[in-house]
Amino acid sequence: MIVKNICIPSSLRLIPLGDRYFRLADQVTVSVETDDGVFRYTIGKGFVTNFRSGAPVIDHFIDAIGDRLHQICWLVHDCNYTPCINKCGVHAVDRKTADELLFAMLLFAGESKFKARVVWGAVRMFGKSAYEDDDAFTFDNYQKLVANYWRK
């Protein structure tokens, strides 16, 4: 999968919650155009994200938040790991596609193939429980997320 373009909001206002979590202060819409199709997310005010998961020691390798384009990479991945209200509580895409999209978005954001591949490997190795199991934010986030995917 190759990302051709990412339409991002002009601003991304965040409310810090502590413990590396943030709440969106406004609704945002993100579109990701790939060679495979278009992913579109409407993420409601109040959606909670931790951007890049992982221990603080990883921050030396790749920033947990980063610039706005990296924030969108992490946010979209969090959305893909969250069931959607418009999909009757089902994920917008399967986990493999979610992780492939993150890899492609990180390349588009300017990450090296090496760093993007390490991140991809980490989410493939450690992300299964985050995708399959609900946490304290899942139900609330589920009510704030509308995601669609159109194949070419």
Side-chain angles (χ1 to χ4, degrees):
M1 180 183 310
I2 298 170
V3 170
K4 295 180 175 182
N5 193 30
I6 302 175
C7 294
I8 62 175
S10 58
S11 67
L12 191 61
R13 291 188 326 116
L14 304 168
I15 301 166
L17 300 177
D19 199 25
R20 301 169 67 94
Y21 284 93
F22 298 85
R23 184 179 308 276
L24 295 182
D26 305 300
Q27 176 175 300
V28 297
T29 299
V30 176
S31 294
V32 182
E33 180 186 353
T34 72
D35 60 340
D36 200 37
V38 176
F39 299 82
R40 183 175 169 90
Y41 305 86
T42 301
I43 311 156
K45 175 182 178 178
F47 188 92
V48 174
T49 180
N50 64 348
F51 293 108
R52 194 222 67 236
S53 301
V57 70
I58 300 169
D59 294 350
H60 299 288
F61 177 72
I62 189 165
D63 193 23
I65 299 174
D67 61 23
R68 186 158 349 117
L69 194 51
H70 279 81
Q71 291 170 6
I72 296 301
C73 295
W74 307 130
L75 182 60
V76 163
H77 193 254
D78 280 356
C79 289
N80 284 332
Y81 269 50
T82 301
C84 303
I85 196 162
N86 68 310
K87 304 286 183 188
C88 299
V90 176
H91 293 88
V93 297
D94 61 74
R95 184 170 161 248
K96 183 176 183 240
T97 301
D99 297 345
E100 287 174 0
L101 181 60
L102 174 63
F103 174 78
M105 288 179 72
L106 287 171
L107 292 178
F108 185 86
E111 284 303 332
S112 68
K113 280 188 179 181
F114 174 76
K115 281 189 177 182
R117 185 62 66 193
V118 169
V119 169
W120 176 86
V123 295
R124 293 306 299 157
M125 197 176 321
F126 303 112
K128 184 177 180 182
S129 64
Y131 185 86
E132 294 179 353
D133 300 336
D134 296 338
D135 64 19
F137 301 113
T138 301
F139 183 72
D140 196 42
N141 277 351
Y142 152 85
Q143 296 176 7
K144 294 175 174 62
L145 176 62
V146 174
N148 292 292
Y149 171 55
W150 296 276
R151 282 200 184 274
K152 286 190 174 182

